[in-house]
Amino acid sequence: MIHAFETQTLEIGDGIFAYIQRDGSWYLNNAGIIPDHKLSYFIDSAATVARTEALLGEARRLGVGDRTGMVATHHHGDHTNGNATIDPSFLVSHVTVPEEMANGFAVPPPGLFTPVDWGDIELRLPDLTFASELALQMGEHRVELRHLGHPAHTLGDCVVYFPDDRILFAGDLAFNGGTPFALMGSVQGWLHSLETLRSLDVQTVIPGHGEPCGMDVFRDIERYLRFVEQVAGQAIEAGVQPLEAAKSVDLGEFADWHDPERIVGNLYRAMAELTGTPPGGSVDVVAAFGAMIAYHGGPLACFA
């Protein structure tokens, strides 16, 4: 596992850059940079001030000026904590994201993760929101922002689709080599969203975490989410709690994915849905994170 501050910028299309933060585990997200002499764009920021300053420095090297737009693929702090550091001219998100940001946590409570130097995080909410789809022009590129109609990783996930370039910034609807996390969204909704994602004409996927990949990543995620649903159903039938169910299950082909403790949070969500909680409905997030810490054997490992 890579614990150093390692990043790489890849030109995945003509003037479309993916900023990769390794190893893609907790709070080590990917971002996008689209430089243009009139109006440049960022897709997401980073978890800490230092990491966002590194992203911003790379963007300046690529020719990004002072006039910038930004898209937030969802509300989680690894994708939004650096918004104020970048200070875009405007910030776009799905309509649920401002409330999710306001009601969530940017800097995790002490004891939840191993210590991180977050810096002085300032909440920077979106200026423009959309409900279903929004078309943008990023430099020479036609872009479609899409919410897929279901809670999934969160309530407000959006993908950034470059149809002419066959490129998709999937946000955290795609984890490549990492365990998907549905606690704040919906297992069922994520599965429905995958059906729509697979219908897109895409050659290159930039996941929210992990290396750039192809559309096969969505088949991997579906297998994992089906596995979670199966374990959840067995746990309900046996009358056991999510932590006990997680401890007793063999993760099999998913055991080598980083952050395996997410199985516990995913079971909280899946078991709630199988017993009547609607997709995206309320679950005990505090209890779920406590159980994840117990499964992990201490604070969750974060190298941001």
Side-chain angles (χ1 to χ4, degrees):
M1 182 176 289
I2 300 165
H3 296 168
F5 194 123
E6 181 178 335
T7 68
Q8 185 178 14
T9 303
L10 302 172
E11 187 169 14
I12 55 172
D14 186 12
I16 305 170
F17 296 88
Y19 184 80
I20 309 301
Q21 295 193 102
R22 296 187 173 92
D23 60 356
S25 55
W26 286 109
Y27 282 87
L28 297 180
N29 67 299
N30 299 328
I33 306 169
I34 298 86
D36 183 74
H37 68 282
K38 292 182 179 178
L39 175 65
S40 299
Y41 271 90
F42 290 89
I43 301 170
D44 288 335
S45 59
T48 70
V49 169
R51 284 188 171 271
T52 304
E53 287 175 341
L55 167 62
L56 187 56
E58 184 66 1
R60 299 297 189 217
R61 184 187 71 81
L62 294 172
V64 170
D66 292 333
R67 191 160 184 262
T68 59
M70 178 183 285
V71 177
T73 60
H74 62 291
H75 76 281
H76 283 158
D78 47 343
H79 298 258
T80 61
N81 279 358
N83 292 354
T85 300
I86 292 176
D87 191 25
S89 305
F90 60 91
L91 172 60
V92 185
S93 77
H94 183 255
V95 67
T96 63
V97 168
E99 184 175 356
E100 287 179 288
M101 288 181 67
N103 293 335
F105 55 77
V107 175
L112 182 55
F113 290 96
T114 51
V116 170
D117 182 6
W118 301 97
D120 186 12
I121 302 297
E122 179 184 346
L123 195 64
R124 169 69 160 85
L125 298 177
D127 306 294
L128 174 67
T129 62
F130 68 98
S132 179
E133 296 185 11
L134 180 66
L136 293 175
Q137 191 72 22
M138 294 188 180
E140 300 299 318
H141 305 280
R142 181 169 62 96
V143 176
E144 299 171 5
L145 308 185
R146 297 190 183 188
H147 182 268
L148 302 180
H150 307 278
H153 173 63
T154 66
L155 303 182
D157 306 293
C158 84
V159 297
V160 184
Y161 179 38
F162 293 73
D164 300 329
D165 304 277
R166 302 179 66 204
I167 290 170
L168 183 74
F169 284 82
D172 282 3
L173 291 178
F175 289 78
N176 184 18
T179 306
F181 192 43
L183 175 62
M184 299 177 190
S186 169
V187 173
Q188 295 174 6
W190 204 329
L191 287 167
H192 288 309
S193 298
L194 291 175
E195 296 175 10
T196 303
L197 286 170
R198 283 196 295 265
S199 72
L200 300 177
D201 180 18
V202 170
Q203 183 174 39
T204 303
V205 176
I206 305 303
H209 298 258
E211 297 299 314
C213 53
M215 294 289 276
D216 287 353
V217 70
F218 296 122
R219 287 202 292 269
D220 296 340
I221 292 168
E222 179 178 5
R223 287 201 314 277
Y224 176 79
L225 295 176
R226 297 289 185 197
F227 167 75
V228 169
E229 282 197 323
Q230 179 183 16
V231 175
Q234 293 169 347
I236 292 168
E237 186 175 346
V240 301
Q241 296 300 307
L243 177 58
E244 183 181 349
K247 285 183 174 180
S248 65
V249 73
D250 180 359
L251 293 177
E253 65 173 305
F254 313 113
D256 291 334
W257 288 1
H258 57 63
D259 309 316
E261 66 274 2
R262 292 173 182 164
I263 182 65
V264 184
N266 291 331
L267 286 173
Y268 266 84
R269 173 58 62 182
M271 291 172 69
E273 291 182 342
L274 290 176
T275 53
T277 299
S282 178
V283 299
D284 192 340
V285 172
V286 173
F289 269 101
M292 289 165 61
I293 291 170
Y295 180 94
H296 184 69
L300 309 180
C302 181
F303 304 103

